[in-house]
């Protein structure tokens, strides 16, 4: 038994040595364990070919100069050599950058292609009619403020062109809706310009007291939104003529006929006209607007006051010279009548031949007074 065990052990040792020798003659990447621990050499799947990037053609000799001042020879005007064409690696890097940018913008460009950008609205009929032949009024963007302030189809009215090509400057320029600006232009061209002609001159300026302003009515906090907040109103103080004369619409010294003519023309064109007499907020200017009301209701409240007298009677008239002295005139009629009664009684009792200029008045007897009796104590 011992002999058999020794033989088997010897055979095992010989087989292990043979296997170790065989393994040692093989490289590490061909061993069974090489693939497990990453020592095995990777297999090549095909031949690697380098990509040949074509270079750009050289610039022709007869090409004009570039914007940067480079000449055809590849040198700048200062004489320095122009940098050569990019290499293959640089061209590959630029191509990769461009591809990355296109990929990043792919999603956005796709969305923009599906949803087109909003187009601005076409000009309104009012805007097309308000040409430079009748007014200098460039369009401005829509205004959308707090509390409903602002509006659409707005213009900045800078001047009004009269039929004779003269311009009436609006000082300062008024921000208005196109409809309000068009009504104001027609009023000046049709009514006010002929009125100034009858006065012997032409209108040159329009005194703009207020146009667009986001505020309540009469500038009261918490009041309803004024038409000024909707760019639908204009306050006018005066009209200036070319001869230097200024016609203040609320000045009493201005001819009543002129002020009434302006009043009637304004009330016929605007839905609201407020002036002196409407409230104390409009004593120094005229308010005009195109407010829309039910049943086309209009308001025209403007009192054309008469001019004040030239000389006011500040002192009373002087006292005439034939007037009696103030002391005698100050006595009452009752005192005179009491003094006349005793004189009449004495004249009737006196003899007829007795003449006297003076009237004697007898003193009245004093009533007897009863003395109080003193009580004597014993």
């Amino acid at each position: 038994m011992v002999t058999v065990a020794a033989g088997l052990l010897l055979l095992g040792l010989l087989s292990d040595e043979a296997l170790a020798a065989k393994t040692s003659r093989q490289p590490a990447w061909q061993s069974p364990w090489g693939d497990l621990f990453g020592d095995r050499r990777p297999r090549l799947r095909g031949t690697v070919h380098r990509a040949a990037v074509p270079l750009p053609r050289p610039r022709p000799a007869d090409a004009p100069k570039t914007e940067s001042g480079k000449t055809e020879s590849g040198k700048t005007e200062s004489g320095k050599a122009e940098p050569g064409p990019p290499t293959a690696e640089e061209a590959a890097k630029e191509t990769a950058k461009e591809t990355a940018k296109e990929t990043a913008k792919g999603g956005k460009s796709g969305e923009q292609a599906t949803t087109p950008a909003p187009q601005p609205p076409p000009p309104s009929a009012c805007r097309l009619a308000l040409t430079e032949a009748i007014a200098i009024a460039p369009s401005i963007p829509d205004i959308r403020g707090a509390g409903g302030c602002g509006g659409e189809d707005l213009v900045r009215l800078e001047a009004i062109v009269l039929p004779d090509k003269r311009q009436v400057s609006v000082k300062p320029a008024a921000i208005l809706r196109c409809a309000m600006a068009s009504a104001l232009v027609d009023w000046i061209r049709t009514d006010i310009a002929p009125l100034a002609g009858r006065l012997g001159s032409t209108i040159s300026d329009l005194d703009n007291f207020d146009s667009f302003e986001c505020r309540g009515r009469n500038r009261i906090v918490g009041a309803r939104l004024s038409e000024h907040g909707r760019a639908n109103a204009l306050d006018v103080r005066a009209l200036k003529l070319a001869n230097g004369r200024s016609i203040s619409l609320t000045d009493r010294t201005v001819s009543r006929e002129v002020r009434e003519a302006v009043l009637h023309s304004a009330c016929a064109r605007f839905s609201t006209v407020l002036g002196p007499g409407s409230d104390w907020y409009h004593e120094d200017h005229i308010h005009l607007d195109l407010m829309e009301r039910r049943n086309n209701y209009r308001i025209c409240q403007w009192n054309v006051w008469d001019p004040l007298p030239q000389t006011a009677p500040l002192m009373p008239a002087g006292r005439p010279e034939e007037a009696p002295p103030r002391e005698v005139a100050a006595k009452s009629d009752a005192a005179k009548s009491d003094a006349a009664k005793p004189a009449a009684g004495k004249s009737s009792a006196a003899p007829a031949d007795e003449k006297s200029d003076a009237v004697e008045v007898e003193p009245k007897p004093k009533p007897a007074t009863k003395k109080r009796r003193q009580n004597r104590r014993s």
Side-chain angles (χ1 to χ4, degrees):
M1 293 294 295
V2 176
T3 305
V4 175
L8 292 176
L9 181 60
L10 181 60
L11 291 175
L13 291 175
L14 293 175
S15 63
D16 290 340
E17 290 177 1
L19 180 62
K22 184 179 179 181
T23 306
S24 61
R25 287 192 297 269
Q26 295 178 354
W29 57 272
Q30 292 182 358
S31 62
W33 308 102
D35 195 12
L36 179 62
F37 296 101
D39 295 336
R40 190 171 182 178
R41 180 180 297 179
R43 297 180 181 179
L44 297 179
R45 298 185 180 275
T47 306
V48 178
H49 298 280
R50 293 185 179 181
V53 180
L55 297 179
R57 295 182 179 180
R59 185 179 181 83
D62 54 350
K65 294 182 179 180
T66 59
E67 295 181 358
S68 59
K70 297 176 183 178
T71 59
E72 296 81 296
S73 60
K75 296 183 179 181
T76 58
E77 294 179 354
S78 59
K80 297 181 180 180
E82 182 184 0
T87 61
E89 296 181 357
E90 294 177 353
K93 290 181 180 179
E94 292 295 332
T95 305
K97 290 182 181 179
E98 293 296 333
T99 306
K101 290 182 180 179
E102 293 295 333
T103 305
K105 295 181 180 179
K108 296 182 180 180
S109 61
E111 295 178 359
Q112 294 178 356
T114 55
T115 58
Q119 298 294 333
S124 62
C126 175
R127 174 68 269 184
L128 295 176
L130 198 64
T131 61
E132 294 184 355
I134 61 175
I136 307 301
S139 299
I140 62 175
D142 299 343
I143 299 177
R144 293 179 177 84
C149 284
E152 300 176 353
D153 197 14
L154 303 179
V155 298
R156 185 176 65 251
L157 184 61
E158 300 176 356
I160 302 169
V161 182
L162 299 179
D164 58 358
K165 304 305 179 182
R166 296 186 181 183
Q167 293 187 2
V168 179
S169 301
V170 180
K171 297 182 178 180
I175 297 177
L176 301 169
R177 297 195 182 199
C178 183
M180 180 62 190
S182 179
L184 186 67
V185 169
D186 292 341
W187 179 54
I188 296 296
R189 287 169 54 91
T190 307
D191 298 339
I192 303 302
L195 177 62
R198 291 194 295 270
L199 297 177
S201 182
T202 57
I203 182 173
S204 61
D205 297 331
L206 176 67
D207 188 1
N208 170 26
F209 186 56
D210 191 17
S211 58
F212 170 71
E213 183 180 359
C214 187
R215 61 175 175 85
R217 293 183 179 178
N218 299 325
R219 303 180 186 275
I220 299 176
V221 179
R224 293 182 60 183
L225 182 64
S226 172
E227 290 301 307
H228 287 280
R230 296 185 177 93
N232 197 33
L234 182 74
D235 290 343
V236 182
R237 282 193 297 192
L239 304 172
K240 295 183 180 180
L241 304 182
N243 58 6
R245 181 183 176 185
S246 179
I247 302 177
S248 177
L249 301 181
T250 59
D251 188 2
R252 292 188 175 189
T253 61
V254 177
S255 171
R256 183 185 181 92
E257 180 183 358
V258 173
R259 289 180 289 155
E260 286 183 347
V262 177
L263 166 65
H264 296 321
S265 63
C267 292
R269 292 183 175 273
F270 300 96
S271 60
T272 306
V273 178
L274 301 177
S278 59
D279 51 39
W280 68 276
Y281 297 101
H282 301 88
E283 293 296 325
D284 58 347
H285 66 275
I286 306 301
H287 172 89
L288 309 172
D289 69 46
L290 289 179
M291 181 179 180
E292 296 181 359
R293 299 184 182 88
R294 186 179 300 176
N295 298 328
N296 198 22
Y297 180 73
R298 293 172 172 264
I299 296 177
C300 183
Q301 297 179 356
W302 177 5
N303 294 335
V304 180
W305 304 116
D306 293 328
L308 296 174
Q310 297 295 331
T311 303
L314 301 179
M315 298 297 293
R319 186 177 180 82
E321 295 179 357
E322 63 272 10
R326 293 183 181 276
E327 292 79 8
V328 178
K331 292 182 179 180
S332 61
D333 297 338
K336 293 180 180 179
S337 60
D338 293 342
K341 288 180 181 180
K346 185 175 181 179
S347 62
S348 59
D353 56 349
E354 186 178 359
K355 296 180 180 179
S356 177
D357 296 335
V359 179
E360 297 180 359
V361 181
E362 296 182 357
K364 295 181 180 181
K366 296 182 179 180
T369 58
K370 186 178 181 179
K371 295 182 179 180
R372 180 176 296 180
R373 189 175 182 179
Q374 296 181 357
N375 294 329
R376 296 181 179 178
R377 294 182 180 181
S378 57

